[in-house]
Every structure is written in structure tokens, then in C-alpha cells.
């Protein structure tokens, strides 16, 4: 049936078929998962099927256990708005203990590099002959500087090109406007609410094509 905006819901016009389209979900106390009650079916049967097939009690602790700040004595529960990851120890803390001295941060790990650029230079100078060491070192240094200069120029060109493409895409995205089209008459609407009111008013309340 076709109703006005005021009586379009199931409850307002006392729909006789509302139970078949109504969605009711019950949280399982054993696994903390949502169980959807099937219309025209005994809830006991639905519950028994859930317990025998997909109920996992080990999932209850994962869902209900709340993450807390690891600082001893702190009972602050970590959520999206008050969680800070320490950049040195990479551990989540609350806002009160976000700084290193507050949570006794051990600091970042020492990076040990197996490649030593200065050792190679020193070894090449010691192993070469006294007469040819200066010329060989000069040629090697010149070649290294030229290669580094070419790599830097290529990187700067790539960054400049990427920056131009990002700016162009941003300008295009700023000028774009999202328009919703009516599935009945292909009329465009910028506001989704206006589209719903148009479909209910002019096309009998059905938004299906």
C-alpha cells in the first residue's frame, strides 16, 4: 500500500506483514555474537541452530575484554580517542602516559649496520700503492659524486611530477559534486533525503527500479 510520510513506517499504519520484514538480533551470552531471529520461526530453534553450528565461547573474551594502558597501576581503558602509540617502543599508552618518562620507555633499539662506508674508504687507501692511491681515490670519488648527483636529479624530477599530478587530482576532486539519480525518472538530486521524499511522493513510495 501507498502511505504518506507520516504513516510510512510499519508501526504508524499497523502493517500486518511487518514481522516478515522486521530484523531482530539477539546477542549470545556465550560467544557475544549477534544471532538474527528468523521471521515465522520459533526463536528456540534459531537459538539451537546457533549453539550447534557457529557458537564459539572462546570468542567471548576477545569481544568483551577491554584493552588497558600497560603502565602499572593505570586503569585507563584504551579507545580510539585516547590511545597514543609511542614512537620509540611502539606500545600503545593512554594520554596521561604518552611521553617516554611517564611509562619508563626503554627507548628505540640500537641499529647496527654491517656496512661501513668509511671502512671501505680506509681499506682501499691502505691496500693500494702509495703512488697510485691518490689518483684511484680521486677517480672513484668523482664517479661516486656523479652517480649521486644523477640519482638526486632523477628523484627531484619524480617528486615534482608526482606533486603536479596530486594537485591536478585534488583540483578535480574539489570541483566534483555527488548527484544521486532517481531510478524511476532519472532526475538528479544532490541531497539523498530529497531523493527519498521525491520517490515517496511522486512514484508511490518505492525506490526500486
Amino acid at each position: 500500500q501507498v502511505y504518506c510520510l507520516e504513516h510510512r513506517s510499519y508501526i504508524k499504519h499497523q502493517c500486518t506483514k511487518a514481522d516478515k520484514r522486521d530484523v531482530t538480533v539477539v546477542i549470545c551470552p556465550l560467544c557475544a555474537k549477534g544471532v538474527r531471529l528468523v521471521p515465522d520461526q520459533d526463536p528456540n530453534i534459531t537459538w539451537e541452530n546457533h549453539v550447534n553450528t557457529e557458537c564459539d565461547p572462546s570468542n567471548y573474551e576477545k569481544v568483551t575484554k577491554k584493552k588497558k594502558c600497560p603502565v602499572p597501576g593505570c586503569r585507563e581503558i584504551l579507545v580510539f580517542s585516547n590511545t597514543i602509540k609511542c614512537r620509540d617502543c611502539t606500545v600503545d599508552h593512554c594520554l596521561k602516559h604518552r611521553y617516554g618518562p611517564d611509562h619508563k620507555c626503554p627507548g628505540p633499539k640500537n641499529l647496527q649496520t654491517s656496512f661501513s662506508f668509511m671502512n671501505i674508504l680506509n681499506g682501499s687507501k691502505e691496500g693500494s700503492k702509495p703512488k697510485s692511491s691518490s689518483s684511484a681515490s680521486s677517480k672513484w670519488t668523482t664517479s661516486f659524486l656523479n652517480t649521486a648527483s644523477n640519482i638526486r636529479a632523477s628523484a627531484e624530477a619524480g617528486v615534482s611530477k608526482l606533486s603536479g599530478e596530486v594537485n591536478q587530482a585534488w583540483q578535480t576532486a574539489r570541483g566534483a559534486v555527488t548527484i544521486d539519480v532517481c531510478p524511476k525518472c532519472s532526475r538528479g538530486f544532490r541531497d539523498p533525503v530529497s531523493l527519498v521524499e521525491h520517490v515517496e511522493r511522486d512514484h508511490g513510495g518505492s525506490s526500486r527500479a
Side-chain angles (χ1 to χ4, degrees), residues 6 12 34 50 102 171 193 205:
E6 182 180 357
K12 291 293 184 178
H50 165 73
D102 297 332
Q171 295 296 335
V193 177

Side-chain angles (χ1 to χ4, degrees), residues 66-92:
K66 299 180 180 180
K67 187 177 181 181
K68 296 183 179 180
C69 181
V71 176
C74 183
R75 298 182 179 181
E76 187 73 17
I77 298 176
L78 298 180
V79 294
F80 177 78
S81 59
N82 70 339
T83 302
I84 299 295
K85 182 182 292 293
C86 179
R87 62 181 180 180
D88 293 331
C89 61
T90 65
V91 178
D92 293 335

